């Protein structure tokens, strides 16, 4: 009967507390109600419209997958924000999982002095980086080596990328000044710089819930939820990307840190808030904030119990109404006390000790009552967490459209780890609220930093993949020498054989450069890669500088470029007619030179039997290849029957450019076009050409664009290059041109960006329609994007203009890709040019050669770095040649007119 008396007595005292704290005792209906309210808040937080006003921020973390076992590497890690600040070294071995010892950890906890907790931001991060330095020193970690660093930061942060985190607000007991709204990753970088003596690469910043999910996910593939019930509380889970409005993209998943601690900050939980909760909030460092957290987490549970005990004592319901200063003092009952009062074995003993430590002399009944208060307060905490988890699991059920959810929840935090009853209660209520779900709870044994290291391992792998992609466009010195040698061999081979050779070495029948004797009026027609130019040139004998020149540029529509040959030449004839009209010279039959920037085989300078061997660049007009393009123009002019022309010469645009530049600088013996297309011509020794003309030299149009058509460049072509070639209008042709000219560089960039995005390395993996559109990334954008004068924002607007939205990191990557591809193009042209000038030097048996190269083309003229890199590469690969590069002023048209003058002179 003593026992019965004891039981009834206990029950009655508990009932007294139950009545007093009835508002804290939540039944399943209320928990489901809270779960439903939380689900509504989650929706608000995920939607772009309502996110700003939402209390529960639902922060995207840029963690797109849970571990897949391939993560590996050695990392330093910082774990800041929980009750302990830790510095760690983590070694992750591939495919071994934590349980199989796949992860080794060394760690050290560093206290954070109060003055730092409430000091300035720089002081906090100086403390962090000095602790890091101390740890490295203690563990003999080489300070000279660059170390990947993983950063767990357990506060609400907006993250545009994995390695940026803008602090929204402090929670728990942190109230450091000057960091809210700042990128804490950058603050850490600055502090590490200030501390000095270490070199860190901060790969990722993660919230402790995310790191906990990743840590548990390394062993359990079903782990897609992470929850912290520690000094603070929060939960994250894998959400479908198409529900995360703040991040572009619909494919796949992304981990979202709910920051459920703020549930109720907008009054959503007011009907569940008790007077004790209001008092805890009012006395906290962040009143009105983190309402849910203040009902649940370790920072506040002890205080809640104290306030309840204090109130009941004041009401005479405890200790006969006796109250002590200790009991009135904030923080004298801690969450550790609450846990102790719930110890299975000696809960009442602990309760008595704690109350006596507050100078109280509790009766046995008082101890029963106070112990029960602790139970109710911590029970409510686990119930509220259960309601929160039920909301998250319900959302995942809906996302997967399944009721039978098998899922694991990774858990960490002192309350969950040290409070004896907490885990069991939590598991039980979650399973009771969602009986159809198979929910497994996994405790994150040794903290979240393993997870942070795993996230960093993924970031490192992604970064290295990006670096691999960029490196695949890097040419070594040896490779450039190889290209020079291959170009040289191809030049040689092209001169020899009449048969097919990749570098055609087409004779131009121009045997000398101008000597100033040219005079008279000539018409020049210039069909380039994108435009057609008509010009009238008037030369004055020996007075180069007095040359008069009038011209008009006509854009060539794509449908004309790729229509019938007849339409193309009718269009050219129409333009000429328009120009002569404009010049009032329709009735004058002027001698004309025709610059035709495509490979043509000709047997003489003037216009007998000229054959277009193949279209290049964007041209594909039918019935032209193998035909005499001068005849076709003549036919078109005849069809037009408005004016007549005496076309006396046809030259390639490189030859025209050489003439035009040689008119200024007689030392000009080579000409390069680096524009829509890519090509070079130069004055070759006639003895090296199967031609018996009575001249010493002849200008050879190399058509070097064809190098590689027989596979000689396969070892430097990347998969993206191959894709561009295979999807071009002339697959397998003009391989060298496709690596070096304006027609293709933009497209190579687009394909690289597309492949990086598909692999999740760019634009957050979001493959926009724009990115899938061939030709959308025009080469002119490369020149703009690579200009040093442009800030990232301006580059962003260029990308936006193309329908590409990117983060700062994305924009830097785009700039890097553009730079890598244009740099390679310029280097390849430099290697080719070195082959040409060195051949001329050897032709002439010279040790040193002084020579001028005339240049034209939008890529050379407009790209901010192309010309410099090309010149540097040429000089480096042909050190015995002093090469001057002379940009052509008036294009090759003037050159064509000069040749027309030559041709006229020879008639
Ligand atoms: C241990 C984790 C840490 C997290 C902490 C939370 O390693 O990242 O912040 O748990 O629990 P607390 O220390 O606040 O009780
Ligand atoms: C201007 C020359 C023209 C040549 C063009 C190449 O006058 O003959 O075809 O440069 O540059 P693009 O217009 O292809 O950039
Ligand atoms: C913070 C969360 C953190 C949680 C657990 C809360 O106060 O806002 O970011 O995950 O504590 O440490
Ligand atoms: C053509 C050459 C031309 C070069 C530059 C190439 O596509 O084959 O004939 O010189 O473009 O315009």
């Amino acid at each position: 009967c003593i026992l019965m008396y004891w039981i009834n007595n206990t029950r009655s005292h508990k009932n007294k507390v139950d009545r007093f704290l009835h508002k804290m005792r939540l039944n399943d209906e209320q928990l489901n109600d809270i779960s439903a309210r939380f689900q509504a808040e989650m929706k608000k937080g995920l939607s772009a419209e309502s996110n700003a006003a939402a209390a529960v921020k639902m922060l995207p973390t840029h963690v797109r997958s849970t571990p897949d076992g391939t993560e590996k590497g050695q990392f330093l890690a910082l774990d800041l924000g929980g009750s302990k600040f830790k510095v760690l070294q983590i070694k992750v071995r591939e495919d071994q999982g934590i349980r199989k010892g796949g992860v080794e950890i060394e760690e050290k906890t560093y206290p954070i002095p109060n003055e730092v907790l409430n000091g300035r931001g720089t002081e906090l991060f100086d403390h962090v980086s000095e602790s890091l330095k101390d740890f490295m020193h203690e563990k003999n970690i080489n300070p000279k080596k660059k170390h990947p660093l993983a950063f767990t930061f357990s506060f609400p942060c907006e993250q545009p990328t994995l390695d940026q985190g803008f602090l929204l607000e402090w929670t728990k007991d942190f109230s450091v000044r000057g960091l809210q709204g700042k990128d804490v990753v950058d603050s850490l970088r600055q502090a590490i710089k200030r501390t000095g003596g270490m070199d860190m690469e901060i790969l990722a910043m993660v919230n402790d819930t995310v790191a906990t999910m990743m840590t548990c996910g390394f062993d359990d593939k079903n782990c897609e939820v992470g929850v912290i019930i520690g000094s603070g509380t929060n939960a994250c889970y894998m959400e479908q990307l198409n529900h995360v409005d703040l991040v572009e993209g619909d494919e796949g998943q992304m981990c979202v840190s709910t920051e459920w601690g703020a549930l109720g900050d907008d009054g959503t939980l007011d009907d569940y808030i008790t007077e004790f909760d209001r008092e805890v909030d009012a006395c906290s460092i962040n009143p009105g904030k983190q309402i849910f957290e203040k009902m649940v987490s370790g920072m506040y549970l002890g205080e809640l119990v104290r306030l309840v005990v204090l109130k009941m004592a004041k009401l005479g319901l405890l200790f006969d109404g006796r109250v002590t200063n200790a009991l009135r003092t904030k923080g004298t009952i801690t969450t550790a006390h609450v846990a102790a009062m719930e110890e299975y074995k000696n809960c009442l003993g602990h309760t008595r000790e704690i109350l006596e430590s507050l100078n109280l002399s509790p009766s046995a009944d008082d101890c029963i009552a106070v112990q029960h208060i602790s139970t109710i307060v911590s029970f409510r905490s686990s119930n509220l967490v259960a309601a929160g988890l039920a909301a998250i699991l319900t959302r995942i059920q809906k996302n997967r459209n399944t009721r039978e959810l098998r899922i694991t929840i990774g858990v960490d935090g002192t309350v969950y780890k040290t409070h004896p009853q907490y885990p069991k209660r939590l598991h039980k209520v979650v399973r009771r609220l969602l009986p159809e779900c198979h929910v497994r709870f996994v405790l994150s044994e040794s903290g979240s930093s393993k997870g942070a290291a795993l996230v960093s391992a993924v970031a490192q792998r992604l970064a290295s993949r990006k670096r691999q992609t960029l490196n695949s466009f890097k040419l070594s010195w040896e490779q450039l020498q190889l290209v020079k040698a291959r170009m040289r061999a191809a030049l040689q081979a092209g001169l020899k054989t009449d048969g097919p050779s990749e570098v055609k070495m087409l004779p131009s029948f121009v045997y000398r450069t101008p000597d100033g004797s040219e005079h008279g009026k000539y018409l020049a027609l210039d069909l380039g890669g994108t435009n057609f130019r008509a010009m009238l040139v008037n030369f004055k004998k020996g007075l180069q500088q007095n040359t008069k020149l009038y011209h008009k540029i006509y854009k060539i529509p794509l449908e004309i470029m790729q229509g019938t040959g007849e339409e193309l030449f009718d269009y050219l004839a129409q333009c000429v007619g328009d120009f002569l009209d404009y010049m009032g010279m329709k009735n004058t039959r002027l001698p004309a030179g025709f610059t035709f920037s495509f490979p043509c085989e000709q047997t003489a300078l003037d216009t007998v039997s000229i054959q277009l061997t193949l279209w290049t660049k964007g041209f594909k007009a039918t019935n032209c290849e193998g035909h005499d393009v001068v005849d076709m123009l003549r036919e078109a002019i005849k069809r037009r029957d408005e004016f007549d022309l005496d076309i006396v010469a046809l030259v390639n645009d490189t030859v025209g450019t050489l003439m035009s530049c040689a008119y200024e600088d007689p030392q000009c013996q080579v000409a390069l076009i680096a524009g829509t297309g890519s090509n070079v011509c130069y004055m070759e020794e006639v003895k090296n050409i199967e031609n018996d003309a009575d001249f010493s030299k002849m200008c050879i149009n190399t058509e070097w664009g064809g190098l590689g058509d027989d596979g000689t460049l396969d070892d430097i072509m990347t998969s993206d290059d191959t894709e561009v070639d295979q999807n071009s209008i002339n697959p397998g042709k003009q391989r060298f041109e496709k690596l070096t000219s304006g027609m293709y560089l933009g497209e190579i960039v687009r394909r690289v960006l597309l492949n990086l995005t598909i692999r999740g390395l760019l634009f957050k993996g979001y493959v926009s329609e724009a990115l899938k559109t061939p030709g959308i990334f025009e080469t002119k954008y490369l020149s703009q994007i690579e200009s040093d004068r442009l800030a990232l924002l301006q580059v962003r607007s260029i990308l936006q203009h193309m329908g590409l939205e990117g983060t700062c990191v994305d924009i830097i990557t785009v700039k890097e890709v553009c730079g890598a591809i244009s740099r390679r193009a310029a280097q390849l042209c430099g290697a080719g040019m070195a082959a040409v000038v060195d051949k001329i030097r050897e032709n002439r048996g010279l040790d040193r050669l002084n020579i001028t190269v005339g240049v034209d083309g939008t890529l050379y003229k407009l790209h901010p770095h192309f010309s410099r890199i090309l010149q540097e590469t040429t000089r480096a690969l042909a050190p015995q040649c002093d090469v001057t590069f002379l940009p052509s002023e008036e294009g090759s048209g003037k050159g064509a007119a000069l040749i027309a003058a030559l041709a006229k002179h020879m008639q």
Side-chain angles (χ1 to χ4, degrees), residues 525-531 533 535 595-597 617 652-654 656-657 672-678 742-743 855-862 888-894:
L525 310 177
D526 178 358
L527 181 60
T530 44
N531 306 313
R533 244 174 296 237
M535 64 194 76
T595 302
F596 191 73
S597 51
K617 290 172 273 192
N652 183 260
D653 57 348
T654 54
T657 301
L672 162 74
I673 295 285
T676 318
S678 172
M743 175 87 191
V855 194
D856 208 334
T858 38
L859 186 56
Y860 185 93
K861 286 187 169 174
L862 301 182
S888 151
E889 295 306 326
E890 285 91 13
S892 64
K894 186 166 141 189

Side-chain angles (χ1 to χ4, degrees), residues 17-18 20-28 30-32 34-35 229 233 260-261 263-264 269-281 290-308 335 338 342 371-389 415 419 421-427 429-430 432-433:
V17 174
D18 286 343
F20 189 77
L21 293 177
H22 72 279
K23 205 170 172 189
M24 280 195 179
R25 294 163 53 78
L26 305 171
N27 58 35
D28 288 5
Q30 289 172 309
L31 293 179
N32 282 323
I34 291 168
S35 170
I229 312 151
T233 186
W260 71 7
L263 179 66
L269 293 178
D270 283 1
D271 48 347
Y272 289 102
I273 303 286
T274 67
E275 62 177 287
F276 307 107
D277 300 310
R278 263 189 283 283
E279 196 167 344
V280 162
D281 177 48
Q290 301 292 99
I291 297 301
F292 182 78
E293 176 162 84
K294 288 167 183 166
M295 300 163 83
V296 162
S297 78
M299 178 115 324
Y300 310 97
L301 292 185
E303 187 56 9
L304 278 169
V305 169
R306 181 186 72 82
L307 291 170
V308 174
T335 300
V338 175
E342 293 233 74
Q371 192 281 330
H372 194 50
I373 292 168
S374 294
T375 298
I376 290 176
V377 168
S378 53
F379 225 128
R380 181 184 70 165
S381 166
S382 57
N383 282 347
L384 286 171
V385 170
L389 287 174
V415 173
H419 191 302
Q421 322 266 1
Y422 204 101
K424 193 159 74 356
R425 287 175 185 158
L426 174 64
H427 304 171
V429 178
V430 169
R432 197 172 65 222
L433 294 175

